[in-house]
Amino acid sequence: MRTNVILLALAPLLASPSAEAQRMLWDRVGSVEVRVGSTRETIWVPGRQRYREVRLCVARRALRINSFTIDFPMRQGRWPHEQSVPLNRTVSPGQCTRATWIRGGPRDIRRVELRLARSNAGPRATVRLEAR
């Protein structure tokens, strides 16, 4: 009897996804197809959603990402309107960069400027910006 009461009390907790599982979800907020020979690309982010961390994911071809800059709408306050992130890493297709925390807490993102190593002819890489 006592076991049944405990199980009934725990059933809603067991049926819902854990808080950790919910935190692992990422929103796809923008993407860009990298032009052959390009060393800079911009991912524009529509809307006014606030995010606390971002990452870049690559598809179709490995891509060397030297750095990226997160651009925030201009505001009065303590935090600057952009955040530069050095990366210097080759990201394979199907892989993502490490998560990068946004300074100043959750903020609206206007765009992300990518600085890349020049790519040769072949399939064009697609870079997807994910945030949460």
Side-chain angles (χ1 to χ4, degrees), residues 44-119:
W44 290 91
V45 180
R48 295 195 178 275
Q49 185 73 24
R50 296 169 65 100
Y51 299 103
R52 69 181 183 281
E53 57 185 330
V54 297
R55 70 180 183 180
L56 299 170
C57 299
V58 175
R60 299 175 56 195
R61 178 188 186 147
L63 185 66
R64 174 87 179 167
I65 304 174
N66 295 325
S67 64
F68 63 96
T69 301
I70 307 166
D71 187 33
F72 309 106
M74 191 69 119
R75 289 200 184 139
Q76 299 280 337
R78 176 178 172 196
W79 298 100
H81 68 279
E82 66 180 25
Q83 177 178 338
S84 294
V85 181
L87 201 56
N88 296 320
R89 179 172 172 234
T90 300
V91 183
S92 300
Q95 299 295 312
C96 298
T97 63
R98 61 180 165 73
T100 300
W101 284 95
I102 294 175
R103 289 189 308 250
R107 297 177 73 181
D108 182 22
I109 300 171
R110 181 177 17 183
R111 69 178 177 220
V112 173
E113 303 257 348
L114 306 172
R115 279 174 287 301
L116 313 164
R118 192 175 308 275
S119 63

